[in-house]
């Protein structure tokens, strides 16, 4: 069965510093990986996805993610955090059934 | 103004009652999905539909039912058989685009059982 793990419930970072939100996956086939962001009482917004090709994927709002097959990871990164980046971030995987399996989420707090 | 709408935003239900959550999209997407979100957990898939008049059970379908009579609509009924229905429900849609589709989400419905 496919699964996604987000090992950190919360990540705290100072504004202007780089941020990383971690995600590891376990699938039997080729992984198709996604990152979404959720603001309070709202739906999820798509940030980026990895299907194939370049291991570094660039997405919305300056975010990027690095696919690492040997470590089965897909960590979300941003070079310089903003207070407005504070939100709940979800990693998700699809192995071709065209429905997503989500991680438990990581709350990002960016302090001014 | 294109997008996915869910109604109502908040819904209260007495125990033993069935309730139906609405999800409508005007994006001309073929596929639609229902997820449930509980605090401290990720989203869990309830049902999904790749095409009109067809749908599949997700990981937690027990106590729920759906229909897909129109491309733009995918209502979810939470039945009295669902033991713990209080949660945030999210609807999504996507258009086939290769091996994996990007899903776009509605704003959600918060269901509370009194």
């Amino acid at each position: 069965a496919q699964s996604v793990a987000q090992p950190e419930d919360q990540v705290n970072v100072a504004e202007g510093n780089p941020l990383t939100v971690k995600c590891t996956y376990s699938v039997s086939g080729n992984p198709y990986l996604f990152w979404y962001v959720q603001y309070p009482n709202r739906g999820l917004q798509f940030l980026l996805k990895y299907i194939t090709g370049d291991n570094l994927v660039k997405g919305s709002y300056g975010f990027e993610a690095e696919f690492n097959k040997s470590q089965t990871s897909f960590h979300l990164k941003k070079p310089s955090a903003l207070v407005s980046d504070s939100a709940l971030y979800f990693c998700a995987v699809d192995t071709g059934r065209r429905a997503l399996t989500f991680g438990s989420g990581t709350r990002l707090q960016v302090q001014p | 103004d294109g997008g996915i709408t869910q109604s109502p935003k908040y819904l209260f239900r007495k125990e033993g009652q069935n309730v139906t959550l609405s999800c409508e999209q005007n994006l001309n997407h073929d596929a639609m999905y229902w997820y449930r979100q509980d605090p401290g957990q990720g989203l869990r898939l309830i049902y999904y539909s790749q095409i009109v008049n067809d749908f599949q059970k997700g990981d937690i379908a027990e106590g729920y039912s759906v229909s897909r009579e129109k491309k733009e609509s995918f209502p979810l009924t939470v039945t009295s058989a669902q033991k713990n229905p209080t949660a945030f429900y999210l609807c999504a849609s996507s258009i086939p685009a290769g091996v994996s589709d990007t899903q776009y989400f509605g704003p959600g419905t918060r269901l509370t059982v009194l």
Side-chain angles (χ1 to χ4, degrees):
Chain A
Q2 59 190 40
S3 65
V4 172
Q6 293 181 244
E8 301 158 317
D9 290 336
Q10 181 157 324
V11 170
N12 298 308
V13 64
E15 188 174 30
N17 283 0
L19 69 88
T20 298
V21 183
K22 296 179 180 178
C23 172
T24 59
Y25 64 89
S26 174
V27 301
S28 56
N30 291 323
Y32 308 118
L33 295 156
F34 297 77
W35 276 102
Y36 284 84
V37 61
Q38 184 180 35
Y39 296 97
N41 295 310
R42 303 289 296 276
L44 274 65
Q45 295 178 30
F46 170 74
L47 283 177
L48 52 80
K49 70 178 179 182
Y50 171 83
I51 302 298
T52 188
D54 194 345
N55 289 343
L56 185 64
V57 180
K58 294 190 182 297
S60 305
Y61 313 119
F63 283 94
E64 58 188 28
E66 186 170 11
F67 172 68
N68 187 318
K69 188 172 183 178
S70 62
Q71 296 186 7
T72 62
S73 67
F74 189 56
H75 301 332
L76 181 70
K77 300 180 180 183
K78 187 174 182 181
S80 178
L82 300 172
V83 172
S84 58
D85 292 331
S86 299
L88 188 57
Y89 289 81
F90 288 99
C91 182
V93 66
D94 173 14
T95 56
R97 72 166 177 168
R98 298 188 180 276
L100 297 174
T101 298
F102 284 84
S104 57
T106 298
R107 187 165 301 282
L108 174 65
Q109 289 277 70
V110 181
Q111 284 114 11
Chain B
D1 188 19
I4 305 172
T5 57
Q6 292 186 241
S7 61
K9 186 173 182 178
Y10 298 97
L11 185 57
F12 299 90
R13 187 193 97 173
K14 294 182 180 178
E15 284 194 28
Q17 286 183 335
N18 292 354
V19 290
T20 297
L21 283 59
S22 170
C23 178
E24 303 275 334
Q25 53 98 0
N26 61 4
L27 301 169
N28 201 31
H29 285 176
D30 293 308
M32 297 186 74
Y33 312 80
W34 274 106
Y35 293 90
R36 169 183 171 138
Q37 184 178 17
D38 295 282
Q41 298 189 42
L43 281 68
R44 292 181 290 168
L45 181 66
I46 305 173
Y47 269 97
Y48 62 109
S49 168
Q50 297 292 340
I51 197 169
V52 174
N53 292 322
D54 188 38
F55 49 83
Q56 290 77 41
K57 292 183 178 180
D59 301 319
I60 56 164
E62 184 176 352
Y64 300 97
S65 66
V66 293
S67 63
R68 187 83 189 278
E69 297 176 0
K70 298 186 295 182
K71 186 175 185 178
E72 58 270 23
S73 178
F74 191 41
L76 174 74
T77 297
V78 184
T79 75
S80 57
Q82 169 50 234
K83 299 303 181 188
N84 185 20
T86 294
F88 190 48
Y89 290 86
L90 288 158
C91 178
S93 69
S94 69
I95 192 165
V99 296
S100 189
D101 318 323
T102 299
Q103 295 182 24
Y104 296 92
F105 285 79
T109 292
R110 188 167 299 279
L111 173 64
T112 303
V113 174
L114 303 173

